[in-house]
């Protein structure tokens, strides 16, 4: 009897651990060609509108390069961070919002209810390029 309980307990533990290691789904962004503009509200509150095709492509490429993490996004906006910036990606008739922030010396993008993604570079530098 004890052996069966031990085996059953081990199976339950392994099942739980296998489910906990799942990374976020890939970031869900509109195609670069469909984007008409990008509005950025920086971490310090400054607003910038990006409308030039080459700048839009640069930003979209940077966002697409973000790597999924095992962290979950379970709110409309980031929580447990001091400050964050907002990126609104606009297409005809639709807007996709993602947030960016730094935490524990790492750079993140958060897409509400989809996932949290790690960036290699500091995103605000890319967003504010002229």
């Amino acid at each position: 009897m004890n052996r069966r309980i031990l085996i059953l307990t081990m199976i339950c533990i392994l099942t739980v651990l296998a489910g906990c290691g799942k990374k976020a789904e890939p970031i869900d962004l509109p195609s670069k060609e469909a984007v008409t503009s990008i509005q950025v509200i920086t971490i310090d509150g400054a607003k910038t509108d990006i409308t030039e095709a080459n700048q839009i492509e640069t930003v979209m490429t940077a966002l697409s390069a973000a790597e999924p993490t095992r962290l979950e996004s379970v709110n409309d906006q980031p929580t447990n961070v001091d400050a964050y910036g907002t990126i609104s990606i606009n297409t005809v008739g639709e807007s996709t919002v993602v947030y960016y922030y730094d935490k524990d010396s790492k750079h993140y993008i958060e897409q509400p209810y989809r996932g949290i993604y790690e960036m290699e570079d500091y995103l605000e530098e890319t967003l504010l390029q002229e």
Side-chain angles (χ1 to χ4, degrees), residues 23 63-69 116-120:
K23 286 190 175 184
L63 293 174
S64 297
E67 291 293 323
T69 68
I116 298 175
Y117 308 86
E118 188 172 347
M119 299 283 299
E120 190 170 303

Side-chain angles (χ1 to χ4, degrees), residues 39-48 78 81-87 98-103 106-109 119 121-125 127-128:
Q39 182 183 55
V40 178
I41 301 174
T42 64
I43 291 173
D44 65 4
K47 289 185 180 181
T48 301
V81 296
D82 294 330
Y84 57 85
T86 305
I87 303 168
V98 296
Y99 301 94
Y100 68 96
Y101 53 88
D102 291 334
K103 186 174 182 179
K106 294 183 180 182
H107 314 295
Y108 294 101
I109 296 173
M119 299 283 299
D121 298 319
Y122 184 57
L123 184 61
E124 205 161 87
E125 292 172 359
L127 296 171
L128 300 178

